[in-house]
Each structure stands twice: as structure tokens, then as C-alpha cells.
């Protein structure tokens, strides 16, 4: 029992140390607590207001609970797949050489995961939902309370299973990249489901026969079985309750056996791995296509990084995904497609707003060589601006093909205005990124674990990109004001003026941001290198 409590205390000690190191982490932790409390209290109030659960309300509550269970279970599994089983700090691999009994270590790490803020929030929220059963029998209320604990533990058991399975499988680098990008696309597609289904998507999910059929089948699996228990008890189906509890118990037993197997395998293979040296590509590669100076070297190095860094490749796919998703918006699909081309470039440069952190210690050689900040910014600007222009042209072709705007001169002009405006959005976002990347840096996941997160540092990863997007929107105010002026004065026919105006706006912000970013980089190089060294220690 002492080992279990020690590992649970270790989990919270790591959380407190991370918050002491970064005040913004403390702020975000408090905001997270407030959100959790609001969720718990709101759930309790809503379930209390139901009063007595009649047949119609019971059906809605039933579908809602199963849907929530499916989203929680599959969402947790998807996040683990995105991190290739290495997204958690308290993983089995970190304790495989300690003298802790395997059975105790497995249980301790599982309970430590459950005792985090997400686990406690889910548990208390499910317990608060038990108010909906207060008009039923005592047996149903007790079953609802027990099912809440079973549901939370089962969710973390499932994530533990997928973590071990992925950690024990050897992936090639290309296989890792494909899996990461695929999981990212699935996550983004799920996030767009409400837009695809329309305003009545909740009605389809709660009342649709197909949705209920799928949820009914999932209720016999460990993913949703615990959420079904109160409703079986309400219907008097105690045999079904026993079968579902048995399914959950078998899942827990399998997880325990898998942990034992993984620990034995890890100890046997520890220290026996060999390093295989692979010769690199001969010749200069991309360095042949850039100017023979410092900025050209920076451009080539960045282009090589972008080809291999799946963390940034995923963001490059996002604009294309938004355009494709917008094509399924029904009657307003044409407008939605062209509006998506405006949003995409704004999101692509989020990675560049933390570009120095993505470079990591590769920046050390540049600093040793005495490269000025202006040349670094010019080198990065050259590559990213080329991406914006080429990608903008590609999205324009796709948007014309989807909407059919190539058929009339008026629509062709409208499409060109959208395309130039989208490029302007990208250039403004890039100009702001060249400044922000020298000041508002935050730690990133290592390249081989692109979706993992350092303990306690998720706050800055959430806040700083938002700052970059907001500032980028502010720099677009000149173009926005011209659009408003044309619409107010009923001169929509002169909207073609937006092409030169938005282009000048984007280029001005780009060059001003690159110049200011170069100045900041020269002034803060020592601090930047120290910060990158700190970030590298978090990736171990």
C-alpha cells in the first residue's frame, strides 16, 4: 500500500513542481479547476431538475449517457494513439528498473492516472448525474454510484492497454508519421461532425435509430458497458448487469496481465538494443536550391526539418481538410469553401510562431556561427512564404473545382479576391509569427512523440497559439476596414480593390515582423538558448 500512495504522491508532486516553475501553469490549473467545478455543478443541477425519470426522459438520458461514454472512451484511446503510447509521464517504461513488484507497480500507476484532474472530474460528474435517478429505487441509485467508479477506471484501463500495445510495437519512422497524421485527420474530422450534420446533429445522435443501434452494440463492450448499468438496473435486467460487469472485469484482468508481460519483456530487453547507423543522402540536397549565404542555409535547414517533422506536417494538412469539410455544408457549401481558404493560412503558421522551439538545439550551431537575427528571419520567411503562395494556389484550384466558380467571369473574380486575401492572411500570420517565436516560446513534444505533452506545460501550449492568432487578426484590420467601407458605401462592385490592398497589408506586416523579429532575436539569443536547453530536458 505504501508504494501505491508514494506513486500517487509523486504524480501530484510533479504537478506542483511544474506549476512552481511556470506561473502561467498555475493560472491555467486554476482555470481548469474552475471549469471542472462548473461542469460538475452544471451536471448536478441539470440532472436534479429532471425530477422523476419517466419513459421519454429515460430514453433521452439513456442515449445521452451512452453517447458520453463512447466519446470519453474513444477520445481517450485516440489521444493515446496520437502519442504512440508514450504520452503519459507516469508510464511503465519509467519504472521498469525499479525494485517495485510488478503487480503493485501496475495498480499504482493506474490509480495515479485516475487520481489526476481529468479522472476526478469525470468521476464527480458521473456521480452528479446520479441525481437523475433519485426518484427510482435504492438499488438503481447504488448501481449508478458503482457504475461511475467502474466507468472511470475502465476508461483509464483501456488507455493503459493501448499504451502498452503501442509501446511494445516497433514502428518505422515512416509508419509513425503515417499513424500520427492519420490520427490527427480522424480527430479533426470528428470535430467537424457537428458542422457536417447541421443544426440538428444532437437530435440525430439522440433520437436516430442508427445511432441508437450502434450505441446499443457498444453497450456490450468495455467502452460503454459501465454507462449502461443503471438503465439495466432500472429495467430489472440484473442478468444483463452481471454480464456487463463480467465484461469489465475481463478487461481489467487483461490489462493487468498485459502490464505484467510488458514489464518482464522490458527488463529482459533493457540494455540489449543496438544502434544502427544509416548513411545519409549524398550531395548538398536542398542546399543546392537556395542562395549561398547565411539566410539560404537557414532556408535549406528549415525545409529539411519540415520534410521530416510530423508535428508540423499535421498542421499543413489542416487547411486542405477544412476546405474538404466545408464542401459538405449543404446549400451554403460554396461560401463555406471559400471562407475556409481564409481560415487555413491563419492556422498553418501556428507552428512557425514557435519555430525556434521546434528547431530545438539545432539553433546552437547557428548562434555559434554568429548568424544575425535578420538573416535567420529572412531564411525562415523565404520558405514559409513559398509554402503560403503554393498552398494558396492549390486551395484555389480545389475551391474552383468544388464550387464551380470557374464558369462565369464574376465568380472567377470573386475566387481570385478570396485567394489573394487568403495569401494576405498567411503573410500577416507569418509576420506575427516571426516576432512571437522570439518571445512567447513554449515547450513542444519530441519529434518521435509528436502528440505527447510535458507534465504541467499544457497551459502555455494552449494560450500562446491563441495570442498569435489574435494578434494576426489585429494586423488584418486595414484590409477589414476597407471591406467594411466598400459594403457600407454600397460599392461591392469595387471589391477587386481588395486584391492590391490585402497584398500590401500582408507584405507590410511580413517585412515589419521579420525586421522586428530579427532585432528581438539578436537581443534575446542568450535567453533563447537557455530556454531551448530547458525545453530539451522536458523531452527526455
Amino acid at each position: 500500500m505504501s508504494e501505491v500512495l508514494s506513486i500517487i504522491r509523486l504524480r501530484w508532486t510533479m504537478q506542483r513542481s511544474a506549476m512552481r516553475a511556470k506561473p502561467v501553469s498555475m493560472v491555467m490549473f486554476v482555470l481548469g479547476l474552475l471549469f471542472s467545478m462548473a461542469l460538475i455543478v452544471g451536471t448536478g443541477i441539470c440532472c436534479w431538475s429532471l425530477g422523476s425519470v419517466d419513459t421519454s426522459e429515460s430514453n433521452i438520458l439513456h442515449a445521452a449517457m451512452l453517447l458520453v461514454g463512447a466519446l470519453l472512451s474513444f477520445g481517450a484511446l485516440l489521444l493515446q494513439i496520437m502519442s504512440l503510447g508514450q504520452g503519459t509521464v507516469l508510464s511503465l517504461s519509467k519504472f521498469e528498473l525499479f525494485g517495485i513488484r510488478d503487480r503493485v507497480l501496475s495498480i499504482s500507476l493506474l490509480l495515479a492516472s485516475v487520481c489526476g484532474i481529468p479522472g476526478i472530474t469525470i468521476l464527480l460528474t458521473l456521480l452528479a448525474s446520479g441525481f437523475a435517478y433519485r426518484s427510482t429505487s435504492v438499488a438503481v441509485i447504488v448501481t449508478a454510484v458503482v457504475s461511475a467508479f467502474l466507468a472511470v477506471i475502465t476508461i483509464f484501463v483501456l488507455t493503459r492497454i493501448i499504451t502498452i500495445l503501442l509501446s511494445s510495437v516497433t514502428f518505422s519512422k515512416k509508419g509513425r508519421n503515417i499513424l500520427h497524421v492519420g490520427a490527427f485527420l480522424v480527430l479533426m474530422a470528428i470535430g467537424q461532425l457537428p458542422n457536417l450534420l447541421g443544426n440538428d446533429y444532437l437530435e440525430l445522435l439522440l433520437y436516430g435509430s442508427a445511432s441508437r443501434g450502434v450505441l446499443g452494440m457498444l453497450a456490450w463492450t468495455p467502452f460503454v458497458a459501465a454507462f449502461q448499468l443503471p438503465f439495466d438496473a432500472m429495467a430489472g435486467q440484473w442478468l444483463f448487469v452481471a454480464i456487463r460487469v463480467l465484461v469489465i472485469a475481463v478487461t481489467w484482468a487483461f490489462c493487468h496481465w498485459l502490464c505484467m508481460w510488458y514489464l518482464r519483456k522490458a527488463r529482459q530487453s533493457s540494455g540489449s538494443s543496438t544502434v544502427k547507423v544509416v548513411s545519409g543522402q549524398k550531395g548538398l540536397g536542398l542546399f543546392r536550391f537556395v542562395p549561398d549565404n547565411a539566410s539560404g542555409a537557414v532556408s535549406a535547414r528549415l525545409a529539411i526539418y519540415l520534410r521530416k517533422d510530423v508535428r508540423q506536417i499535421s498542421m499543413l494538412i489542416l487547411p486542405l481538410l477544412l476546405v474538404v469539410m466545408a464542401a459538405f455544408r449543404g446549400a451554403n457549401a460554396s461560401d463555406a469553401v471559400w471562407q475556409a481558404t481564409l481560415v487555413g493560412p491563419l492556422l498553418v503558421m501556428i507552428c512557425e510562431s514557435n519555430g525556434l522551439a521546434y528547431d530545438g538545439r539545432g539553433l546552437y550551431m547557428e548562434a555559434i556561427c554568429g548568424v544575425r537575427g535578420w538573416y535567420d528571419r529572412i531564411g525562415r520567411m523565404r520558405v514559409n512564404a513559398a509554402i503560403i503562395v503554393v498552398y494558396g494556389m492549390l486551395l484555389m484550384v480545389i475551391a474552383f473545382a468544388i464550387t464551380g466558380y470557374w464558369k462565369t467571369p464574376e465568380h472567377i473574380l470573386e475566387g481570385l479576391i478570396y485567394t489573394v486575401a487568403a495569401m494576405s492572411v498567411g503573410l500577416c500570420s507569418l509576420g506575427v509569427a516571426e516576432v512571437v517565436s522570439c518571445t512567447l516560446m513554449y515547450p513542444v513534444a519530441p519529434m518521435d512523440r509528436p502528440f505527447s505533452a510535458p507534465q504541467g506545460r499544457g497551459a502555455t501550449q494552449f494560450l500562446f497559439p491563441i495570442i498569435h492568432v489574435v494578434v494576426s487578426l489585429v494586423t488584418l484590420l486595414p484590409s477589414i476596414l476597407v471591406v467594411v467601407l466598400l459594403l457600407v458605401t454600397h460599392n461591392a462592385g469595387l471589391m477587386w480593390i481588395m486584391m492590391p490592398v490585402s497584398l500590401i497589408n500582408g507584405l507590410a506586416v511580413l517585412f515589419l515582423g521579420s525586421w522586428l523579429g530579427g532585432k528581438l532575436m539578436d537581443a534575446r539569443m542568450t535567453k533563447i538558448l537557455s530556454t531551448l536547453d530547458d525545453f530539451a530536458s522536458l523531452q527526455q
Side-chain angles (χ1 to χ4, degrees):
M1 189 65 181
S2 61
E3 294 95 337
V4 176
L5 295 177
S6 296
I7 293 180
I8 293 176
R9 285 198 299 268
L10 174 63
R11 187 248 182 276
W12 283 102
T13 300
M14 296 173 65
Q15 181 73 41
R16 288 196 301 270
S17 63
M19 290 190 294
R20 284 196 297 266
K22 292 287 185 178
V24 67
S25 298
M26 174 65 76
V27 175
M28 297 304 293
F29 180 77
V30 173
L31 292 177
L33 284 179
L34 294 176
F35 175 79
S36 300
M37 293 173 60
L39 179 63
I40 295 167
V41 174
T43 302
I45 293 174
C46 291
C47 292
W48 182 272
S49 63
L50 289 178
S52 60
V53 181
D54 56 20
T55 302
S56 60
E57 290 179 341
S58 176
N59 292 334
I60 298 174
L61 181 64
H62 184 197
M65 290 297 293
L66 295 186
L67 182 61
V68 168
L71 292 176
L72 288 175
S73 299
F74 288 109
L77 293 181
L78 184 60
L79 291 177
Q80 285 300 316
I81 292 174
M82 292 172 72
S83 63
L84 279 181
Q86 303 176 33
T88 176
V89 176
L90 295 177
S91 61
L92 287 171
S93 59
K94 303 292 179 63
F95 296 88
E96 60 191 23
L97 298 180
F98 285 75
I100 305 176
R101 290 171 295 171
D102 291 352
R103 179 176 60 84
V104 176
L105 178 59
S106 174
I107 296 174
S108 301
L109 294 178
L110 177 61
L111 292 179
S113 300
V114 174
C115 290
I117 292 297
I120 295 175
T121 302
I122 296 173
L123 175 61
L124 295 179
T125 303
L126 293 178
L127 290 176
S129 66
F131 288 125
Y133 312 108
R134 72 183 191 278
S135 62
T136 60
S137 63
V138 176
V140 175
I141 297 175
V142 172
T143 304
V145 173
V146 174
S147 69
F149 287 90
L150 295 179
V152 174
I153 297 175
T154 303
I155 290 173
F156 284 91
V157 163
L158 292 172
T159 59
R160 180 73 60 181
I161 290 174
I162 199 68
T163 297
I164 296 172
L165 291 176
L166 291 174
S167 299
S168 60
V169 176
T170 302
F171 287 90
S172 65
K173 187 171 183 179
K174 183 179 292 186
R176 284 173 176 264
N177 292 347
I178 293 174
L179 184 60
H180 288 146
V181 174
F184 178 80
L185 293 177
V186 170
L187 185 64
M188 293 304 302
I190 293 175
Q192 290 294 320
L193 280 179
N195 292 329
L196 296 178
L197 297 177
N199 296 329
D200 57 345
Y201 70 94
L202 281 179
E203 183 177 352
L204 292 175
L205 293 176
L206 294 178
Y207 299 100
S209 58
S211 174
R212 292 204 171 194
V214 173
L215 292 176
M217 290 186 293
L218 289 176
W220 292 101
T221 67
F223 303 105
V224 189
F227 295 87
Q228 174 67 27
L229 295 178
F231 302 96
D232 286 340
M234 192 183 305
Q237 301 286 351
W238 294 105
L239 177 60
F240 290 171
V241 172
I243 294 174
R244 296 185 210 278
V245 171
L246 181 61
V247 170
I248 294 172
V250 171
T251 304
W252 291 10
F254 175 72
C255 176
H256 182 72
W257 172 84
L258 198 62
C259 291
M260 301 300 100
W261 169 81
Y262 178 79
L263 286 171
R264 289 193 299 269
K265 177 177 177 292
R267 292 193 178 99
Q268 291 172 1
S269 61
S270 179
S272 62
S273 60
T274 57
V275 179
K276 182 180 179 181
V277 178
V278 181
S279 59
Q281 182 182 359
K282 295 181 180 180
L284 295 177
L286 290 177
F287 284 86
R288 294 178 298 172
F289 305 104
V290 296
D292 188 15
N293 52 33
S295 68
V298 172
S299 298
R301 181 170 65 88
L302 177 61
I304 293 172
Y305 271 41
L306 289 176
R307 287 172 52 187
K308 300 180 179 180
D309 193 349
V310 69
R311 300 170 297 182
Q312 302 183 65
I313 292 176
S314 300
M315 293 302 296
L316 290 175
I317 298 176
L318 188 56
L320 179 60
L321 181 64
L322 292 177
V323 171
V324 173
M325 289 292 183
F328 297 93
R329 292 295 299 273
N332 298 324
S334 297
D335 293 337
V337 167
W338 287 108
Q339 291 166 7
T341 62
L342 297 176
V343 178
L346 189 66
L347 302 178
V348 166
M349 290 298 112
I350 286 180
C351 290
E352 179 60 21
S353 68
N354 197 36
L356 297 182
Y358 281 103
D359 280 356
R361 287 175 170 170
L363 187 66
Y364 275 57
M365 184 60 68
E366 182 179 323
I368 292 173
C369 295
V371 177
R372 291 175 53 193
W374 167 249
Y375 294 131
D376 176 87
R377 301 292 92 179
I378 288 294
R380 302 185 72 91
M381 178 185 71
R382 181 185 293 118
V383 174
N384 287 293
I387 291 175
I388 291 172
V389 173
V390 174
Y391 210 165
M393 299 298 293
L394 175 63
L395 293 180
M396 179 189 70
V397 173
I398 295 174
F400 270 123
I402 293 175
T403 60
Y405 273 28
W406 50 272
K407 297 179 180 179
T408 61
E410 294 80 7
H411 281 156
I412 291 176
L413 178 60
E414 184 177 350
L416 292 176
I417 294 173
Y418 270 111
T419 301
V420 176
M423 293 181 183
S424 174
V425 172
L427 294 178
C428 288
S429 181
L430 175 58
V432 175
E434 300 300 345
V435 178
V436 173
S437 62
C438 299
T439 52
L440 301 180
M441 301 170 60
Y442 54 90
V444 296
M447 194 177 295
D448 58 339
R449 289 177 283 128
F451 295 105
S452 61
Q455 181 74 8
R457 301 302 179 93
T460 53
Q461 292 176 331
F462 173 78
L463 180 62
F464 289 170
I466 293 179
I467 295 176
H468 165 252
V469 172
V470 171
V471 176
S472 299
L473 292 175
V474 172
T475 60
L476 288 167
L477 281 178
S479 299
I480 295 174
L481 291 176
V482 173
V483 172
V484 173
L485 181 62
L486 290 175
L487 294 177
V488 170
T489 57
H490 305 288
N491 288 318
L494 298 177
M495 195 62 71
W496 59 269
I497 296 177
M498 285 307 304
M499 288 193 286
V501 170
S502 61
L503 189 59
I504 293 173
N505 187 176
L507 291 174
V509 174
L510 175 61
F511 283 102
L512 179 62
S514 299
W515 172 78
L516 183 58
K519 293 292 184 181
L520 288 173
M521 190 172 181
D522 290 334
R524 303 187 74 251
M525 180 58 74
T526 303
K527 177 63 176 176
I528 290 173
L529 295 179
S530 175
T531 303
L532 293 179
D533 191 58
D534 180 37
F535 290 171
S537 65
L538 295 174
Q539 297 179 353
Q540 302 301 321

